[in-house]
Amino acid sequence: MKKALLLLITVVSTLACDNSEDSTNELYGQWQLTEVLVNVDGTYYFSPTSSDKVITFFSDESLACAGDICANNNYANEYTIGTFSETFQTISSNNCNGSNSLTFEQTADTIVITYPGTELSQAKYIKLLNN
């Protein structure tokens, strides 16, 4: 009986452990543009930028952007909307000409969006707290 009880406790403890990502990795919320990828003599690196461009990801897989979500720039002079897939790490908007799908990679506190084109074009966003 003690062995069965010990086995039951072990199984329940194992199943109770949550291997899902920490809530700090949650995509939902506001993310502000902080860096853009630049190319200097064939060397790429992220360079800090000052911008009010903010993307808000919602739990229904929609998004809103203070700025053009389709353009790799730091302007926040327009408002665009779109959708995203956390599973496929893609962003879509009708505002994007030609290819209307962008890709992104997320870490705990950053998102890097890759824009389509012949030259590597990326922008880095950080998660804003308290949103």
Side-chain angles (χ1 to χ4, degrees):
M1 181 69 177
K2 287 183 181 180
K3 287 183 180 180
L5 183 59
L6 182 60
L7 179 62
L8 179 63
I9 291 171
T10 303
V11 170
V12 170
S13 296
T14 303
L15 293 175
C17 292
D18 185 7
N19 290 334
S20 64
E21 292 183 5
D22 187 290
S23 63
T24 59
N25 286 347
E26 189 169 274
L27 180 63
Y28 312 127
Q30 294 183 318
W31 298 77
Q32 183 168 14
L33 176 64
T34 58
E35 299 177 60
V36 293
L37 191 70
V38 296
N39 177 356
V40 177
D41 298 327
T43 301
Y44 290 92
Y45 65 93
F46 279 101
S47 176
T49 188
S50 176
S51 177
D52 292 327
K53 190 172 185 178
V54 173
I55 303 171
T56 304
F57 292 91
F58 300 101
S59 61
D60 66 352
E61 295 194 339
S62 66
L63 63 84
C65 181
D68 185 354
I69 187 66
C70 306
N72 187 7
N73 61 41
N74 62 357
Y75 305 124
N77 57 350
E78 63 182 284
Y79 183 80
T80 56
I81 58 172
T83 58
F84 68 94
S85 168
E86 198 166 3
T87 303
F88 297 108
Q89 295 186 311
T90 56
I91 295 172
S92 299
S93 175
N94 289 337
N95 288 21
C96 300
N97 294 328
S99 172
N100 64 349
S101 186
L102 313 173
T103 60
F104 68 90
E105 285 185 49
Q106 179 196 4
T107 63
D109 61 348
T110 63
I111 292 176
V112 175
I113 297 177
T114 301
Y115 297 85
T118 55
E119 187 173 335
L120 186 59
S121 179
Q122 294 181 321
K124 187 181 289 187
Y125 292 77
I126 60 166
K127 187 156 192 181
L128 297 176
L129 301 177
N130 302 321
N131 57 65

